[in-house]
Amino acid sequence: MGRVRRTLGRPWFITVLVTGVVLVGAGLYWFQPWKLWVDETVRDPLPVAAAGDDAPEGLADGELISHEHETSGSIRVLRLADGTRVLRLTDLDTSNGPALRVWLTDAEVKPGKDGWHVFDDGRHVSLGALKGNKGDQNYPLPADLDLNRYRSVSIWCDRFDVSFGAAELTRA
């Protein structure tokens, strides 16, 4: 018992203990491992313009492929009756993670590991934080955005600079 008490009171032991606690705390903050077991489902309704009940016009669409994490769902860019545009994710299913964003990019969608890191190499626009890792979601597009300058959508992890999944946009 005396040997344990002597060890616990030594400065080097206290330094190692404090350093270990700080490293574990930083690791938990950085990786947020609990998100692997927590799903956030979003059910945004199909958007309609306040000015009328007209069905939205499809401008582009695409199907998500997996990159760093298994990802599926479809993407549609819609123009509402009032002229506003929305990017819609439908049947999204991906892993949850820290700092996930929805990006419009000018990058080509490449399958496998070749496509994991290409979306921040060129031009990209963040449409905001991913609302949830499952379901249907709407993201308004900026009014001045030139859609012709962008060819893909990525579910992008800002924390680790990697794509969870992406879709090539096909113009309607």
Side-chain angles (χ1 to χ4, degrees):
M1 184 73 148
R3 173 182 257 168
V4 170
R5 198 172 291 205
R6 277 192 309 266
T7 301
L8 292 175
R10 297 195 187 256
W12 66 266
F13 181 79
I14 293 170
T15 301
V16 167
L17 183 64
V18 168
T19 302
V21 168
V22 168
L23 289 175
V24 166
L28 287 172
Y29 170 77
W30 191 254
F31 290 99
Q32 299 178 2
W34 56 87
K35 287 195 171 187
L36 291 173
W37 296 280
V38 177
D39 288 329
E40 295 177 40
T41 302
V42 175
R43 297 281 180 222
D44 285 347
L46 185 66
V48 293
D53 295 332
D54 295 340
E57 173 191 359
L59 301 177
D61 59 18
E63 293 295 319
L64 288 163
I65 65 167
S66 300
H67 281 143
E68 171 69 20
H69 292 268
E70 192 68 33
T71 301
S72 63
S74 54
I75 306 281
R76 290 183 66 205
V77 177
L78 304 169
R79 182 181 5 242
L80 307 182
D82 64 1
T84 60
R85 296 171 300 167
V86 174
L87 183 129
R88 179 159 173 87
L89 300 174
T90 305
D91 296 326
L92 175 66
D93 188 1
T94 191
S95 298
N96 207 340
L100 294 180
R101 306 284 183 259
V102 178
W103 278 11
L104 269 174
T105 79
D106 64 353
E108 175 186 359
V109 175
K110 299 176 184 177
K113 288 188 175 187
D114 290 341
W116 286 16
H117 302 282
V118 299
F119 298 100
D120 61 346
D121 293 343
R123 186 176 32 250
H124 60 274
V125 173
S126 178
L127 301 180
L130 187 68
K131 296 176 184 178
N133 64 309
K134 295 189 180 300
D136 306 325
Q137 303 169 32
N138 302 320
Y139 297 88
L141 298 180
D144 62 347
L145 180 93
D146 180 359
L147 195 56
N148 292 320
R149 298 179 74 187
Y150 300 94
R151 63 190 288 184
S152 60
V153 174
S154 174
I155 306 302
W156 184 258
C157 180
D158 257 355
R159 178 79 36 90
F160 297 106
D161 292 330
V162 68
S163 173
F164 274 33
E168 193 79 32
L169 289 175
T170 303
R171 304 290 186 245

